Each structure stands twice: as C-alpha cells, then as structure tokens.
Amino acid sequence: MDATKIRGKVVVITGGARGIGLATATALQALGARVAIGDIDEATVKESGAARDFDLYGKLDVTDAASFESFLDEVERTVGPIDVLINNAGIMPTGKLADEPDQVTRRILDINVYGVILGSKLALRRMLPRRAGHIINIASLAGETHIPGLATYNASKHAVLGFTDTLREEYRESGVRFSSVLPTLTNTELGSGVTAPKLLRPAEPEEIADAIAALIAAPRSKVRVTTVAGVISQVVGLLPEAVGDGIARALGASHAFLDDVDAAKRRAYEDRARNA
C-alpha cells in the first residue's frame, strides 16, 4: 500500500467512538491522514478523540440532517475540505423478526440505511464541485446473504450495497469514488456474545481498518474481509438455493444469531443499540 496516497487527506468517520470506526481512525492517523470522528455517544467520542489527539471529534447523529451538516461544516472549517467520508455508524440487534419492536426496526433502518444515504448526499454536494472525493460505506457480508436472526440488519446492508453500487454508476465521470466494505462478524461490541459460524473466524477491527486504508490508497468498488469469508459468501451465492442454504445451515449460520447467542454477554450492547 502506498501511504503517500493517504498522507494529508481529510477523513471523516461516523460511528468513530469505538470498534471498526475507532480502529480505522487510528490506522489512518498513523498513515498521516487528518482524522475527524463523530458519534452519537458524545462522552465516548470525546474520550476516544482526546486520547488519540484526532483533528476533530464530537457528537454526530447520522439520522439528523442538521447534526450531520453541522459536523461536516465544522470539519471543513477547522480541518479542511473533506477528501473521504466513511459511513461506518451502524447497529445490529439480533432476534426473530416477529419479536422485534417496531421502534427497533425503525432505528436499524434509520441508522444503517438513512444515515448512509444522508451522509453520502451531504458529502457529494461538497465533493462534486471539486470533482474529487471518496465515499466509503461500511456494509457487511450479511448484505450478500441471508442470516436468521438478522432479518432487518440483513435488509439494511443489502440496501447499502445496492445504494453504493448505484452511486458508483450514477456519478461515474464525476471524479468522486464510491466503495463498499463488507466485513464478516468482527470482534467488537457489536459482535459480543455471538459465536461465528464454522470456518468463519471473526475478524479483528484492525483488519477492517487495514482494508479501508488500502481502499483509500487504491480505490475499488468492494472489499470483503476476511478473504475466506468473502470467498464463501460469493461461492454460496452462486449455488442453487437449496444447496447454498444447506451449506449455510451446516456451517451453523441458522443458529449463530439466534439460539447460540450468549444473551448475558450481549445485553449491554443490545440495550445501547436498541435504546440509545
């Protein structure tokens, strides 16, 4: 990876207080990027930002247009024109759809889909006049498959992939690049209490961060992490439905986010994701 392609770039990361967002911010800062992180958790984002001396950090509600616009305005006023927006904020409550409260369904879609669309729209309006910029949307391998216990989350990540691919073609000659990142289950609070299906080890947030850094240095439409999980996802998707579903069941995917969830280990995340 050519770190000179990253040095000096102004990068905004949503959901940057912890997990993949924080790991990515830390990695990009080490490569010379100027980093701004926003998060709905104001106390944690300020703690994380101050500890690492990021260029800017503060509260950001990706579901609120005024909050998002204000945050981007502050970045451009104090750090510089935005080169890269990483729409990372997202939540993953688990459970069967019939048991999912409507407010949780709306919250997943508001953050995981509307937040990505809103952020992309606001960033595009800044990048298009300069004919330069890169919007990176954090999707999931769940966006290429179907996993019991994650119906609404799956739907949200399918939406992110379709949205990002459409923008890539819609603005093909604009100078703005669009990419999707598709992580497997990752060792962050979002994945707490969940055991990965067979053959699919959880990724570390630093692995996702490294993949994002490589994507900024050499843009392409999609990157899947881990490589093994990405290959399995793509291969299963090409198989006849009954065969693909049978393989997924054999790997344990039908129970990983339902019966096999350690509710006690996951409770703190579920409470925050559903009610924050």
Side-chain angles (χ1 to χ4, degrees):
M1 180 182 64
D2 185 356
T4 63
K5 299 288 184 66
I6 295 174
R7 191 173 302 124
K9 285 189 180 294
V10 175
V11 182
V12 175
I13 305 172
T14 71
R18 52 171 64 82
I20 290 173
L22 182 57
T24 301
T26 303
L28 293 177
Q29 182 189 54
L31 292 168
R34 305 194 66 189
V35 175
I37 61 169
D39 200 288
I40 190 66
D41 185 341
E42 186 173 12
T44 303
V45 76
K46 288 184 175 179
E47 180 182 343
S48 297
R52 293 159 182 82
D53 196 27
F54 292 141
D55 292 273
L56 189 145
Y57 44 88
K59 184 174 182 179
L60 166 60
D61 181 353
V62 299
T63 70
D64 182 274
S67 174
F68 218 143
E69 185 86 75
S70 175
F71 189 82
L72 298 184
D73 282 343
E74 186 176 0
V75 172
E76 298 213 313
R77 184 172 58 252
T78 62
V79 184
I82 296 166
D83 296 298
V84 183
L85 170 67
I86 302 173
N87 283 310
N88 167 73
I91 60 171
M92 189 183 77
T94 61
K96 291 188 175 181
L97 182 65
D99 300 326
E100 182 178 281
D102 287 348
Q103 68 179 40
V104 173
T105 302
R106 286 185 177 274
R107 183 165 169 75
I108 295 170
L109 296 177
D110 281 349
I111 296 172
N112 295 11
V113 182
Y114 176 67
V116 170
I117 293 173
L118 176 60
S120 299
K121 185 187 302 183
L122 296 176
L124 258 177
R125 290 172 180 166
R126 297 160 189 269
M127 295 173 175
L128 287 173
R130 301 195 297 264
R131 297 192 60 81
H134 193 174
I135 295 173
I136 299 174
N137 294 328
I138 308 303
S140 168
L141 286 175
E144 292 188 321
T145 184
H146 43 280
I147 305 173
L150 295 178
T152 305
Y153 177 80
N154 274 4
S156 74
K157 295 304 183 178
H158 276 266
V160 169
L161 288 175
F163 172 72
T164 309
D165 281 341
T166 301
L167 290 185
R168 177 171 50 81
E169 183 63 19
E170 187 171 314
Y171 292 97
R172 184 169 57 88
E173 298 179 354
S174 69
V176 181
R177 305 297 296 266
F178 300 88
S179 303
S180 300
V181 179
L182 290 74
T184 187
L185 181 67
T186 305
N187 275 327
T188 64
E189 188 184 19
L190 181 144
S192 58
V194 177
T195 301
K198 299 171 187 174
L199 304 182
L200 301 178
R201 69 165 180 84
E204 297 301 327
E206 291 76 16
E207 291 179 85
I208 314 303
D210 289 345
I212 293 170
L215 197 58
I216 294 172
R220 53 194 175 108
S221 64
K222 289 184 181 70
V223 62
R224 298 170 177 84
V225 188
T226 61
T227 301
V228 170
V231 169
I232 291 175
S233 173
Q234 290 179 282
V235 169
V236 168
L238 295 173
L239 296 173
E241 182 179 289
V243 176
D245 287 352
I247 291 174
R249 286 193 293 272
L251 293 175
S254 59
H255 299 285
F257 295 89
L258 287 172
D259 308 330
D260 294 344
V261 171
D262 186 327
K265 287 183 178 179
R266 192 162 177 78
R267 183 169 296 115
Y269 172 76
E270 289 280 344
D271 287 346
R272 184 170 63 82
R274 291 167 180 261
N275 301 314

